[in-house]
Amino acid sequence: MNNGDVEAAWEYHQGTKHSPWSVRSNPHFLDWPNRPLPFKVYPKIEPRPLPQEVPQTGVAALSAISGRVRSSRADRVPDLEALARVLFFSAGITKEREYPGGHVYFRAAACTGALYEVELYLVSGDLRGLESGVYHFNPADVSLRLLRKGDFRGNLRVATAVEPAVAHAPATIISTGTYWRNAWKYQARTYRHFGWDNGTLVANLLAVSTASGLPSEIVLGFMDAEVNRLLDVDTRREVSLCLLPIGRSAESPLPTPKDAPALGLETIPLSQHEVEYPAMLQMHDASSLESEQEVTNWRESRPVLSSSAWAGETVRLQPLPEDEQPKDTIEQVILRRGSTRRFDKTASVTLEQLSTIFDCATQGLPADFLAPPGAQLNDLYLIVHSVEGLKPGAYFFQRVLGNLELLKEGQFRAEAYHLGLEQALSAEACVDIFFLTDLKRILERYGNRGYRAVQLEAGAIGGRIYLAAYAQHLGATGLTFFDDDVTKFFSPHAKDKSAIFLLAVGKPPKRKQR
Ligand SMILES: Cc1cc2nc3c(=O)[nH]c(=O)nc-3n(C[C@H](O)[C@H](O)[C@H](O)COP(=O)(O)O)c2cc1C
């Protein structure tokens, strides 16, 4: 299959839509005794513990999320402490809870079903405190495990057809998705979750790197087989999702690629038995890049800018001026973040709070598929229930103009309840933010890999929304949705667009005084 044969992405997307009928008629149940392990464990490799008492950056979360941090450091080379900070605040365990189904280790970034199918690896040159190598990060014991000794950055330089950020990075983090860990619950829809859950993690990672004075960006242009081979993953189970170069060095010449033979390293099985979903393997294959030429073409694809047809009444967003914004640090906000489990239906947020969220979350995401800076693949639509300064109703976010365009006025809590898979959260929030995209134009421009990009971008902007809400002491949660009903609700404006992602923002109920 090839990236240009976009029937593959259409087929996958159509085949994994939720509708009231598909959800009610699905006989799938959670097989608790076969619940997958939430960690990848290499039992025969000694851990290399990461420092746990790492100094905080002290940078305000809202500045870190929006990338508005200017570093005066000439040195952009991370040391082990900086890497430990980035890894921990992206994928580390931030709290634990006991449930009837078992113990759950919650992580720094939100993840569908708390199943944490995204793993992180590190490909590094010699750094202060760390010798060069290919490592796996295990959040369970906050340690690295050395998979290959030596400097393999040259392999990534070749795999990305000399992507400048990768070619100059002292270290690159690679995220992978493990199908079964999420498919145990979500079946073939997991491939969408790869983008969402990797995206929320990436939002944290970019913010913490920025706060640490280390440039970083999302690289989706790489030859999949080369990177998978370097990490020695079994591609029927686990695949590379994106590269995240960290820092920048002037070092030259870069190391030449090295031989990366199969390692056959033992890992603990996730479950007694696993179920394979061929639709996901096909989607992944069809969106893989196989040659240098395909990678170069990917990088040169220009994004599809969203239309801003201006028909309805508009309201200008009014973000809080920077000196009036809450100053909690990025680390404090990540540790505080969770997914709000109940919203107070009687509460409201202000237009300034909502505007600040939008302003921070939609600042140009640094990604190889988004040029010029500021481009975006997803369009944002809102159902406003209770925002002071906005009439309740459905809106379209005119990103370039910074306006909300009123599409229809009214109280749509019942509709929001339905669209969010009949969960109370979408009805009781103050505002629901839907991500939709013109998938046809995206796939024409980028091929099947555009599907990966659009899901990942949604997750990353969604992750920023989570952080920007919690930075202002609000609540937020990702939600899933009935695909075609979302499009119908926002039509005619959203006609021909596909629903990609949903996030609700509001206030949790006040705790009763005892
Ligand atoms: C993309 C996405 C979709 C989600 N969908 C739902 C949902 O439909 N219903 C729900 O109750 N929680 C949903 N969640 C919240 C997750 O269950 C939550 O992130 C996970 O349990 C981890 O908890 P934490 O976010 O508090 O760390 C979603 C989260 C994400 C990132």
Side-chain angles (χ1 to χ4, degrees):
M1 261 184 277
N2 99 34
N3 187 44
D5 178 9
V6 300
E7 260 319 297
W10 277 119
E11 210 174 286
Y12 173 78
H13 188 69
Q14 285 298 122
T16 54
K17 280 182 173 174
H18 275 337
S19 69
W21 181 84
S22 76
V23 168
R24 272 163 213 143
S25 60
N26 186 350
H28 184 65
F29 65 95
L30 296 183
D31 180 2
W32 287 103
N34 200 39
R35 179 184 166 212
L37 255 186
F39 304 106
K40 182 172 190 179
V41 181
Y42 294 91
K44 304 232 166 100
I45 306 182
E46 281 301 307
R48 196 185 186 303
L50 285 169
Q52 297 204 25
E53 297 297 319
V54 174
Q56 302 226 342
T57 62
V59 173
L62 291 172
S63 310
I65 302 159
S66 55
R68 292 191 188 107
V69 180
R70 296 281 156 262
S71 170
S72 54
R73 282 175 47 191
D75 157 32
R76 303 290 189 90
V77 179
D79 57 11
L80 185 61
E81 283 200 339
L83 285 175
R85 181 193 297 122
V86 169
L87 290 166
F88 175 79
F89 285 101
S90 304
I93 296 170
T94 50
K95 50 184 186 267
E96 299 177 30
R97 296 253 157 82
E98 200 62 58
Y99 290 96
H103 202 79
V104 178
Y105 296 93
F106 288 92
R107 309 269 194 99
C111 178
T112 50
L115 292 163
Y116 304 111
E117 73 279 11
V118 177
E119 297 286 336
L120 295 183
Y121 296 80
L122 179 71
V123 177
S124 165
D126 279 325
L127 299 176
R128 192 142 47 87
L130 188 73
E131 60 283 11
S132 56
V134 177
Y135 295 88
H136 172 254
F137 171 60
N138 186 347
D141 57 5
V142 200
S143 66
L144 295 175
R145 279 174 177 73
L146 181 66
L147 309 184
R148 295 185 194 273
K149 198 169 160 45
D151 193 343
F152 286 85
R153 289 175 300 152
N155 298 52
L156 296 184
R157 191 192 42 160
V158 170
T160 59
V162 200
E163 206 287 331
V166 172
H168 290 101
T172 292
I173 292 175
I174 302 173
S175 59
T176 66
T178 301
Y179 294 107
W180 170 244
R181 203 179 286 140
N182 192 267
W184 169 74
K185 179 168 183 185
Y186 297 105
Q187 301 175 282
R189 206 166 148 102
T190 283
Y191 203 80
R192 298 186 185 209
H193 296 200
F194 275 3
W196 302 352
D197 298 331
N198 188 32
T200 57
L201 183 154
V202 162
N204 284 24
L205 185 145
L206 293 175
V208 175
S209 289
T210 300
S212 307
L214 297 165
S216 144
E217 69 173 71
I218 307 169
V219 174
L220 263 190
F222 60 89
M223 288 182 257
D224 295 74
E226 302 299 319
V227 175
N228 288 331
R229 187 174 318 124
L230 182 63
L231 304 182
D232 199 49
V233 291
D234 169 358
T235 54
R236 292 188 81 123
R237 298 197 158 92
E238 182 183 358
V239 287
S240 300
L241 300 177
C242 75
L243 272 54
L244 300 142
I246 308 286
R248 194 169 177 91
S249 73
E251 187 190 352
S252 149
L254 285 158
T256 46
K258 287 181 192 300
D259 225 19
L263 298 170
L265 296 169
E266 186 186 332
T267 58
I268 305 226
L270 296 182
S271 291
Q272 279 156 18
H273 62 92
E274 298 186 12
V275 180
E276 195 173 80
Y277 293 89
M280 294 200 278
L281 302 194
Q282 277 156 22
M283 177 63 222
H284 189 76
D285 243 24
S287 58
S288 290
L289 303 181
E290 288 169 4
S291 65
E292 216 177 301
Q293 187 60 53
E294 276 193 307
V295 173
T296 311
N297 292 349
W298 165 261
R299 246 197 329 270
E300 286 168 0
S301 304
R302 285 289 168 259
V304 191
L305 292 168
S306 74
S307 59
S308 297
W310 185 4
E313 177 185 327
T314 57
V315 178
R316 188 146 197 82
L317 289 183
Q318 297 160 22
L320 283 166
E322 217 168 323
D323 55 349
E324 289 175 31
Q325 290 177 358
K327 292 284 181 283
D328 292 357
T329 65
I330 185 66
E331 291 95 335
Q332 287 170 325
V333 171
I334 290 176
L335 293 177
R336 177 162 86 220
R337 189 211 61 79
S339 291
T340 309
R341 298 295 76 197
R342 283 215 54 200
F343 288 114
D344 178 357
K345 205 171 143 179
T346 63
S348 55
V349 297
T350 64
L351 178 58
E352 288 74 18
Q353 288 172 320
L354 179 65
S355 305
T356 303
I357 292 176
F358 269 68
D359 182 51
C360 288
T362 62
Q363 290 298 320
L365 205 61
D368 66 345
F369 53 90
L370 294 176
Q376 196 173 293
L377 307 183
N378 283 277
D379 291 330
L380 304 187
Y381 288 77
L382 293 80
I383 302 184
V384 169
H385 305 302
S386 50
V387 177
E388 289 163 34
L390 278 180
K391 295 173 186 165
Y395 290 81
F396 173 65
F397 174 49
Q398 298 176 337
R399 203 171 48 83
V400 179
L401 302 172
N403 290 336
L404 291 179
E405 177 185 350
L406 183 62
L407 303 179
K408 53 185 170 187
E409 192 179 333
Q411 196 47 268
F412 295 117
R413 287 195 192 268
E415 290 79 354
Y417 169 77
H418 171 73
L419 297 179
L421 226 71
E422 306 191 341
Q423 300 181 78
L425 287 160
S426 45
E428 295 180 347
C430 295
V431 53
D432 296 309
I433 305 167
F434 293 82
F435 294 56
L436 287 92
T437 198
D438 184 343
L439 207 46
K440 185 162 176 285
R441 286 172 68 194
I442 301 276
L443 297 179
E444 271 169 14
R445 200 67 64 95
Y446 292 88
N448 292 314
R449 207 173 186 85
Y451 192 72
R452 294 194 199 177
V454 92
Q455 299 288 5
L456 173 58
E457 184 200 76
I461 296 173
R464 282 173 157 188
I465 294 177
Y466 258 109
L467 296 174
Y470 275 82
Q472 301 182 83
H473 293 272
L474 304 174
T477 185
L479 289 171
T480 195
F481 45 83
F482 289 131
D483 290 73
D484 289 343
D485 293 349
V486 171
T487 303
K488 223 176 286 159
F489 177 81
F490 289 107
S491 288
H493 195 285
K495 185 170 145 306
D496 300 328
K497 291 188 189 173
S498 300
I500 299 293
F501 195 86
L502 165 59
L503 212 112
V505 173
K507 286 185 175 163
K510 286 211 176 73
R511 288 217 187 101
K512 290 210 176 79
Q513 302 281 352
R514 291 187 178 223

